[in-house]
Amino acid sequence: MKSILILIFFFSVNCLSANTIVVGKDQPIHALKRAVELAKNGDTILLKQGSYAEGNIVIGKSITLIGIGMPVLDGLQKNEILTITGHNVTIKGIRFLNAGYSSMNDYAALKIVDATNIRIEQNIIEKASFAIHIANSTFSTIRNNKIVGTNKSEHSSGNGIHLWKCGNMKIEGNSIQGHRDGIYFEFVTHSTISKNVSEKNIRYGLHFMFSNDDAYLGNTFRNNGAGVAVMYTRNVRMENNLFENNWGPSAYGILLKDISDSHIKNNRFVENTVAIHMEGSSRIMIEKNTFKANGWAFKVQASCDDNTFYKNNFFGNSFDIATNGDKSLNTFNNNYWDKYEAYDINRDGIGDKPYHPVSMYAMIVEQNPTTIMLMNSFMIKLLDKAEKAIPSLTPENLVDAAPMMKPNKL
Amino acid sequence: MTRLIRYVLYDILRNKVVITYALFLFVVSFSLFQLEENESKAILSLLNIVLIVVPLIGMIFTTIHYYNSYEFIELMLSQPLSRKRILLSEFTGVAVSLLCAFAFGVGVPVLIFSFNDTGFALLIAGGALTLIFTSIAFLASVKSRDKARGIGFTLLLWFYFALIYDGLVLLVLFSFSDYPMEKFTLLLSALNPIDLARISIMLKMDVSALMGYTGALYKNFFGTGAGMLFTGSIMLLWIILPLWWAVTAFNKKDM
């Protein structure tokens, strides 16, 4: 009862002090710019349906801007549309169109600079170079926005959601396509990226650098030019994501470069050219992932150490693991490999023979990529069998000592 | 000519080898699909059958059939029939029966269990390989003097196409690994019908792996309409050229 009273109290105080300003063609105030000028901290601006082209609008106060019936803010392809700075700003239900492009400045449909506690929700952003550009901000939420870019060349288009030097951010449930990088993180810490769909971007679905203690959970990265890149970082949790159809000579489900102490768990990798490419990475736990119909499930460069591959399932990949060295400093255990052929006499579900997941042919292709034309040929099969009997080229200690007979239940 | 083909077909049906072959293919493909829970693995095993067994059986059967019906051919030569016609009827008879066996043995299980692009590519490639190796076997048998030599020669050819050629390609690719060999491998693949068949199936099956490095080139080349036309016409050349050569040799041959 007490808490309800307090709630009612706060609500009434809020109502008393905060004004609502309505902006519309048929209202006393026609222009959003004017409304922003008039508004005081804590006010709400309701933007009615219609198209507004007012150049660059700067919001430096704590206001809530809500669109009614998806009003359009048009940048006429020359302006940055909305610039937000300060704290406690909410932008909701607005359609941003035609933000400008400049090769000098990073113009964005929505730019957030030096801000705290910003909420960007349920907006639609179309034909922008940078859609949402956030710099030096904290404790903000970007949720359920729909971002569609123009899919131009790599240098003339910007990122969908771009974060630079931020902390404690939440990027949730957005759908992003047709930008350079779908989501871009640089110097962003303690943040979560969840349930986003990032697809058909020119470069990476997610581009992630120098950003420690972050998590990305339950996202879908599909059909991006180069997949997802996670670089120069530690303490990242990557769980329940789907990586699909990232095709190309340098396209990866995930590219891990100089990553340490991270978790990759319960993800699904389907039909990527390379599902996970790892270099210079250490102490990563890779468990309970599913790898299906990829070209290469893993490319583990010799510069990786102390990584653990545990209870993953491999189905129908052309190559399970490829490596470029003759030593392996990683541990493989209890994975299910569909290419494993052995017996289980004591019936404990674990195969009685260790499995060497790197085939001779994988080594050959690694050294000489043109030999891909011989894939599945009888000769290659013979070579693989011979290598299995008398290993000489494949790294002998890259081995799953206890492979599973049946797929792991995930 | 149709009557001649009919005689050849009767003859083939009577000795039951083709029926056994069809049943063998059927049992193998059916059990592959039944045993493997994973359909793509079954198709992979079936790919080996199509690339190895189909050419081998096709060639051996054709050669043996040719020498076994040598007397029949001689008898026909005494009739007012052109040599070309006799050899082409023999070819048609053998090719049709082998094709039927393949269509039944592999076609039916594939259509039941894996009715998709990959399965379809597998059937087309298998059919083409049957025709190609029948044609090559006719050339080998017409050129060789007796049965032992003929079979030896066909075995050697099979060995070359199925195994040695790929070894040579591997050798070439490694010796010239400092040079851009991507375009050259396209040419290399056209020089061996088994490789050509394998690559056209792979484009459907291992598409993800092929999207890397050289593979993208294949996909761009063979994956397009022009590429398919290229594959088709090279396959057709592999059927027609050996057969044409066999016919000319047969025309001049002192029986």
Side-chain angles (χ1 to χ4, degrees), chain A residues 247-249 271-273 293-296 318 338 364 368-379 381-382, chain B residues 38 41 44 48 52 162-163 166-167 170 173-174 177 182 185 198 202 205-209 211-214 218:
Chain A
W247 280 357
E271 292 188 7
N272 303 290
T273 297
N294 299 289
W296 285 262
S318 301
D338 67 340
I364 292 176
N368 189 342
T370 32
T371 53
I372 195 90
M373 83 162 271
L374 294 173
M375 190 155 70
N376 288 332
S377 88
F378 189 35
M379 230 267 314
K381 292 236 148 72
L382 286 183
Chain B
N38 183 333
K41 245 182 115 183
L44 191 65
N48 287 324
I52 305 300
L163 196 66
D166 287 347
L170 195 63
L173 289 182
F174 265 93
S177 59
E182 284 80 7
T185 56
R198 184 168 50 74
M202 234 161 52
M205 197 160 61
D206 286 294
V207 108
S208 311
M211 293 313 286
Y213 305 107
T214 321
Y218 286 116

Side-chain angles (χ1 to χ4, degrees), chain A residues 359-373:
Chain A
S359 66
M360 167 92 166
Y361 183 48
M363 297 300 282
I364 292 176
V365 170
E366 193 69 21
Q367 282 175 25
N368 189 342
T370 32
T371 53
I372 195 90
M373 83 162 271

